[in-house]
Amino acid sequence: MNAEARPPDASHQRPEGVTDTTVEALGALSKALETAERARGALYTFHQLTGSADLALDDAVRLLRKAGHEAQADRVEHEILSRNVIPGHWTFQIVEEYNSTYYDVFRTVEQQIRGELAEGRDHLYEAEMKEARRTRGHPDHTAN
């Protein structure tokens, strides 16, 4: 078999008996998980930016004191510095709760369903789209 006629690797081939609708459903489930991954990344960005802002307050307090503004420095130190971002929680706790309450469950269920319906194979929808859309004979569009 020449390189041009090779199908996608076995891990990206549809198992026997898997329907078009199942592949489409698994693709939609995978896309939803990818969106949750992006939301999780944004949550980590929120966590890191909020933490950086809180650490930057140390400089603000120090400089306010150096400039003789004790009352304002005290206000920043007591009202903002190390404040909970929502009642009872710092950002790391929000990240932990998101992971354990939503993300980990989402990822586990998605993996289980792929295992049940497609022998655990991932990105079948995208692999079939690649095969359908590639330009045969073009060296940058090979199957593998």
Side-chain angles (χ1 to χ4, degrees), residues 36-37 39-41 43-44 92-108:
E37 292 275 7
R40 184 171 181 248
L43 195 54
Y44 274 94
F92 77 89
Q93 293 167 303
I94 297 169
V95 169
E96 288 174 352
E97 289 297 319
Y98 179 86
N99 285 340
S100 65
T101 303
Y102 185 77
Y103 174 76
D104 292 345
V105 174
F106 196 148
R107 198 177 82 198
T108 298

Side-chain angles (χ1 to χ4, degrees), residues 53-123:
D54 193 70
L55 291 173
L57 289 174
D58 292 336
D59 284 338
V61 168
R62 180 183 55 78
L63 291 168
L64 284 167
R65 290 195 196 292
K66 184 176 178 180
H69 306 294
E70 290 295 323
Q72 288 81 6
D74 286 346
R75 187 169 169 202
V76 169
E77 192 171 57
H78 295 111
E79 293 187 29
I80 304 171
L81 189 65
S82 297
R83 183 181 183 92
N84 290 330
V85 295
I86 62 173
H89 292 81
W90 274 22
T91 58
F92 77 89
Q93 293 167 303
I94 297 169
V95 169
E96 288 174 352
E97 289 297 319
Y98 179 86
N99 285 340
S100 65
T101 303
Y102 185 77
Y103 174 76
D104 292 345
V105 174
F106 196 148
R107 198 177 82 198
T108 298
V109 169
E110 188 272 342
Q111 288 172 344
Q112 290 170 340
I113 290 173
R114 267 191 300 110
E116 294 164 6
L117 301 180
E119 298 175 6
R121 295 179 189 177
D122 202 6
H123 294 108

Side-chain angles (χ1 to χ4, degrees), residues 4-57:
E4 183 56 31
R6 272 194 323 222
D9 61 279
S11 68
H12 289 107
Q13 290 178 26
R14 180 190 300 213
E16 190 172 325
V18 175
T19 67
D20 289 347
T21 304
T22 299
V23 169
E24 188 176 356
L26 291 172
L29 185 59
S30 174
K31 182 178 179 178
L33 177 60
E34 290 168 6
T35 302
E37 292 275 7
R38 291 179 60 206
R40 184 171 181 248
L43 195 54
Y44 274 94
T45 298
F46 164 73
H47 163 61
Q48 291 177 351
L49 290 173
T50 302
S52 294
D54 193 70
L55 291 173
L57 289 174

